[in-house]
Amino acid sequence: MLKKFVFWFQTNYNLNRSKVLIIIPCYNEGQNIVPLLNELKPLSFENTDFTILPVNDQSTDNTLALLKKNSTNFLNLPNNLGIGGAVQSGIKYAERYGFDYAIQMDGDGQHPPSEVPLLLKEALHSGCDICLGSRYMKWEGFQSTAMRRLGIRVLNTLIRLTTGQKIYDCTSGYRLFNRRAINLFAEYYPDKYPEPEVIVYAKLKGLKISEVPVFMRDREGGESSISGLSSLYYMIKVSLAIAFIKLSFVFTKK
Amino acid sequence: MSFIQYISIGTTLIFLFIVFRLVVKKQLREEFSIIWILSAILLNIIAFWRDSIEVMADFFGVYYPPSILYIALFLLIIIYCLHMSILLSRQRNQIKNLSQEIAILNEKIDALNLKNGEAE
């Protein structure tokens, strides 16, 4: 009887409802952003309020105009900060307005909003601080090219060697942060190609990371930011960053 | 004094003058001007007192005296470049934080305006 009353009370009076912020970093996503926002509208999960926050990172196309028309709240960065800075501004927003969870989702439509409940469920059940959406746990959906998978494998191994954390898809930009992770990343978040670096940093800071299989689509429009020579640069930059973070923890721990 | 000494004294004095002028016109901050003033004074000393290089070379046991000048200048410039890179990194971080702050505050202003029923 009491239990029933508590349940009724909670569902009707918004107590214990968790606030979730969905951060969508956008750089020239004019072709993809409106369908994505429309897809996000019907999103719902038990006892959860969603706020959708696209972050316009000085796009040179009509992204800003589309956001003004289609989105109630969004961030418009005055300088181009790159994906890391864009995501961090969302995280700072989440920290300031007391969100319980922040979910990062790419603006190019590769990450279907229907997978958001999967991430939330995992976070609620396992109590992890960061939950990654991984393409490579089940071999379903968009899998990227062989070359890229190899690169991701190398980075996964590097992360396992430095932190002992087994990761299937360290480059996935589909991830959930809880309050603890939000507080940590409001302080520091890597600038360029942040995804693998964030995992190492969080793990060494003692955060719990888990991974769930999600379905990803091929991009609907626009081009990947990493191709050709820049993929080599990506590998070098990310490996170096991981090595430096590991080093900094080796020196400060003792 | 030889002709080359007049030329080098002249150039270092002009350099010193330019640095002072930049500081006075607020185009160069004082803290950055210190190293330039010091190096100009040092070059001036070397120009006045030619044998100083030989004295130093003798002291350090350098066989070819002018090379000590090159290596000293080279090291100085490298260290200064590193210093500049550190400053740049710090400023980049500050710009990033400011940009994020501006974006969050702008969002807040828009939300408040909307609440008060003001059109943009």
Side-chain angles (χ1 to χ4, degrees):
Chain A
M1 179 68 192
L2 186 70
K3 245 185 188 171
K4 234 180 184 177
F5 173 73
V6 168
F7 181 74
W8 172 84
F9 191 80
Q10 282 179 352
T11 44
N12 283 287
Y13 288 93
N14 282 354
L15 286 176
N16 267 352
R17 283 182 80 82
S18 42
K19 283 163 76 186
V20 176
L21 185 73
I22 297 183
I23 304 164
I24 309 168
C26 305
Y27 179 68
N28 293 349
E29 301 289 6
Q31 297 172 47
N32 308 311
I33 191 67
V34 176
L36 181 65
L37 288 175
N38 288 333
E39 218 179 325
L40 275 162
K41 261 177 206 154
L43 187 65
S44 70
F45 189 69
E46 46 185 293
N47 279 334
T48 307
D49 296 319
F50 288 102
T51 305
I52 292 145
L53 186 81
V55 182
N56 176 36
D57 190 13
Q58 279 290 302
S59 299
T60 48
D61 65 354
N62 58 346
T63 304
L64 180 61
L66 289 172
L67 286 180
K68 274 185 179 158
K69 223 193 251 172
N70 293 286
S71 187
T72 44
N73 39 357
F74 62 90
L75 295 182
N76 184 31
L77 293 170
N79 287 314
N80 180 276
L81 297 181
I83 174 107
V87 170
Q88 198 194 21
S89 53
I91 288 174
K92 283 181 174 174
Y93 185 94
E95 189 211 20
R96 205 155 298 184
Y97 293 105
F99 282 89
D100 301 297
Y101 296 102
I103 294 174
Q104 177 196 340
M105 181 189 280
D106 282 359
D108 59 9
Q110 280 198 79
H111 301 152
S114 51
E115 308 285 76
V116 165
L118 279 182
L119 291 172
L120 276 170
K121 257 182 218 157
E122 173 70 15
L124 288 172
H125 291 152
S126 73
C128 60
D129 298 305
I130 296 176
C131 181
L132 307 174
S134 171
R135 274 173 286 191
Y136 302 128
M137 284 172 87
K138 279 186 200 160
W139 292 84
E140 281 175 357
F142 175 60
Q143 294 288 334
S144 197
T145 60
M147 205 49 210
R148 256 183 220 207
R149 285 203 300 272
L150 180 73
I152 291 168
R153 272 251 168 99
V154 171
L155 291 178
N156 287 342
T157 313
L158 196 62
I159 289 174
R160 208 182 59 237
L161 290 177
T162 46
T163 65
Q165 173 85 33
K166 186 154 171 48
I167 296 284
Y168 288 92
D169 187 1
C170 63
T171 58
S172 160
Y174 201 3
R175 41 185 66 184
L176 173 143
F177 305 103
N178 76 351
R179 194 67 212 166
R180 196 170 162 216
I182 288 171
N183 287 335
L184 179 70
F185 293 127
E187 289 292 316
Y188 170 75
Y189 197 85
D191 263 337
K192 220 178 175 194
Y193 310 140
E195 287 86 7
E197 211 181 323
V198 161
I199 298 172
V200 176
Y201 182 69
K203 184 70 190 172
L204 292 174
K205 277 277 182 186
L207 266 64
K208 202 177 150 203
I209 299 166
S210 69
E211 213 173 359
V212 285
V214 296
F215 180 83
M216 284 194 198
R217 296 178 291 218
D218 201 350
R219 53 179 60 246
E220 283 155 10
E223 293 235 324
S224 170
S225 55
I226 302 155
S227 60
L229 253 185
S230 66
S231 56
L232 187 71
Y233 174 68
Y234 178 90
M235 289 301 289
I236 294 171
K237 152 76 205 342
V238 171
S239 312
L240 258 181
I242 290 173
F244 274 128
I245 285 195
K246 179 71 183 168
L247 261 181
S248 72
F249 273 85
V250 168
F251 282 126
T252 50
K253 272 263 164 84
K254 280 170 191 170
Chain B
M1 272 211 266
S2 60
F3 184 56
I4 186 71
Q5 274 180 293
Y6 289 117
I7 293 178
S8 21
I9 290 166
T11 11
T12 46
L13 283 180
I14 290 170
F15 182 67
L16 205 58
F17 174 74
I18 291 172
V19 172
F20 276 131
R21 215 176 113 91
L22 284 173
V23 175
V24 170
K25 287 179 91 179
K26 305 257 183 276
Q27 288 174 3
L28 181 67
R29 291 174 68 92
E30 291 91 341
E31 63 247 51
F32 299 130
S33 71
I34 294 169
I35 185 163
W36 296 121
I37 293 170
L38 282 180
S39 53
I41 290 172
L42 189 77
L43 286 173
N44 223 335
I45 291 172
I46 294 169
F48 264 113
W49 179 29
R50 271 189 103 159
D51 293 342
S52 62
I53 299 171
E54 263 132 63
V55 171
M56 270 192 290
D58 257 3
F59 181 79
F60 288 111
V62 177
Y63 177 71
Y64 180 61
S67 63
I68 202 164
L69 196 66
Y70 295 136
I71 200 138
L73 283 176
F74 188 67
L75 271 178
L76 207 79
I77 289 168
I78 290 268
I79 290 167
Y80 198 65
C81 279
L82 187 67
H83 174 67
M84 281 296 165
S85 298
I86 293 168
L87 281 183
L88 250 161
S89 308
R90 193 185 301 156
Q91 297 215 324
R92 211 185 153 131
N93 210 19
Q94 288 169 340
I95 290 171
K96 187 201 76 184
N97 286 336
L98 279 176
S99 304
Q100 291 172 337
E101 199 61 43
I102 288 170
I104 292 173
L105 289 178
N106 266 336
E107 195 270 346
K108 194 171 188 175
I109 290 171
D110 286 348
L112 285 175
N113 278 345
L114 208 70
K115 213 170 146 191
N116 295 336
E118 283 172 36
E120 256 183 67

